Amino acid sequence: MAQSALRIFSYLPNPRVWKALIAAELCGVHVEVCGDEPRRLPEWLWDFEARPLEEEERSASSPHARVGKRGFTQTLYKTDAFLVAHPYGTVPAAFSPGGAIGVFESNSILRAVARAAASDHGLYGRDGYQASRIDSFLDATLVFAREAQVYLLALRQMTPELHRRMQDALEFYLDGIERALGDAPFLAGDAISLADIAFVCDLAQFLNERRARGLLEEAGLGIATEGEPNAHPRAFEHLFRLAETPAFAKHLGGYLDHARSELAR
Ligand SMILES: N[C@@H](CCC(=O)N[C@@H](CS)C(=O)NCC(=O)O)C(=O)O
């Protein structure tokens, strides 16, 4: 079997991991993924050699026991080496072959896949300026995704302030996407790039908000994506069209079905 360019450890499935897998599909790179369902990741040793722990290895006195900080409330078992490679201690966590170099942040893992490709596929642009423009979209997408993460983790304790902040962030992000797609068929020009991949995966993940309509209504609030895709038709058409192409569909599967049928009404 071909040697993997990267090994990724994460909870699975994870749209942040799909970014790397979609790029890998498009540029012929082999990526190895290991992990488990979100609720089982606290039972794993977080390491380059990640593995499920025996019950007796999972105790507060373990040298690897750490307090979960973002999205995990339980004790997590991260080795010192994991935290050297991944100073923020987050997943998805990617490693170079052999584990010497940790690559964190899903958009950076996405870039690492494109850089590992043997042939020039154009996913990360064709020169430094094009790559920088793609980086601009990746940064804007991360800003949106961070707001979305805070919001989605707070769905059970939503406040009007946080809800308003999310609506503003969504509108700001999608306004830019809409404008860019008015000038070109893909976010960064005439061809698909890393910018489109990150956009699809992060927006698809955010659309899970719609599953929490009941929770938000109990708090006297509506869903932040109410009124979409009328407000941003090009952005949503781009999302659903790309999601149906083979490299995306292989990983997203029916993930967007709930949003597609609701939004089409
Ligand atoms: N912006 C990061 C988000 C990564 C992140 O925040 N991961 C959380 C889970 S959603 C994590 O690993 N938390 C570990 C902890 O709680 O210690 C990315 O795109 O990779």
Side-chain angles (χ1 to χ4, degrees):
M1 198 167 92
Q3 198 203 16
S4 296
L6 284 173
R7 178 184 295 183
I8 302 178
F9 170 64
S10 179
Y11 62 86
L12 302 169
N14 181 350
R16 295 187 181 105
V17 174
W18 295 342
K19 294 178 187 178
L21 297 180
I22 292 165
E25 197 81 20
L26 291 173
C27 62
V29 166
H30 190 264
V31 172
E32 187 186 340
V33 178
C34 82
D36 209 331
E37 297 170 46
R39 68 189 172 92
R40 293 215 180 280
L41 228 53
E43 298 169 14
W44 278 64
L45 184 67
W46 294 32
D47 189 61
F48 174 63
E49 302 286 358
R51 61 174 173 87
L53 291 164
E54 300 297 333
E55 202 174 335
E56 57 276 14
E57 292 180 284
R58 302 195 304 263
S59 77
S61 61
S62 160
H64 311 307
R66 324 276 174 177
V67 178
K69 294 240 170 87
R70 197 172 265 189
F72 289 93
T73 49
Q74 314 89 318
T75 298
L76 299 171
Y77 297 93
K78 305 177 186 178
T79 62
D80 289 343
F82 180 84
L83 290 173
V84 170
H86 294 277
Y88 297 99
T90 53
V91 288
F95 295 88
S96 60
I101 298 177
V103 183
F104 46 95
E105 283 298 330
S106 55
N107 288 351
S108 290
I109 301 172
L110 173 62
R111 292 178 179 97
V113 171
R115 289 186 178 114
S119 62
D120 181 17
H121 41 74
L123 274 187
Y124 200 2
R126 302 241 175 242
D127 62 31
Y129 290 104
Q130 288 181 8
S132 300
R133 182 162 170 83
I134 291 164
D135 283 338
S136 308
F137 281 105
L138 293 179
D139 286 357
T141 300
L142 173 58
V143 171
F144 163 71
R146 173 61 186 144
E147 293 283 345
Q149 183 185 40
V150 172
Y151 175 82
L152 293 174
L153 289 173
L155 278 171
R156 290 178 190 282
Q157 315 91 38
M158 189 52 62
T159 63
E161 293 71 31
L162 187 51
H163 189 262
R164 178 79 252 155
R165 190 180 158 115
M166 187 66 240
Q167 281 183 315
D168 289 348
L170 178 70
E171 187 183 338
F172 185 83
Y173 176 61
L174 289 182
D175 280 355
I177 298 290
E178 192 70 11
R179 202 166 288 128
L181 291 171
D183 295 327
F186 294 92
L187 286 178
D190 291 335
I192 188 164
S193 76
L194 304 185
D196 302 282
I197 298 174
F199 159 73
V200 168
C201 295
D202 282 327
L203 185 57
Q205 183 166 34
F206 181 67
L207 288 175
N208 276 323
E209 181 233 9
R210 303 180 76 87
R211 297 181 189 275
R213 186 188 286 274
L215 278 177
L216 289 165
E217 283 173 357
E218 273 171 35
L221 299 162
I223 48 173
T225 44
E226 199 73 84
E228 303 289 354
N230 290 338
H232 300 102
R234 287 190 286 255
F236 277 80
E237 196 273 329
H238 196 56
L239 168 76
F240 290 125
R241 189 177 56 77
L242 278 181
E244 278 174 9
T245 61
F248 287 74
K250 178 170 175 188
H251 301 288
L252 271 78
Y255 191 74
L256 277 174
D257 288 353
H258 73 100
R260 193 185 279 107
S261 57
E262 247 199 1
L263 288 164
R265 276 186 222 142

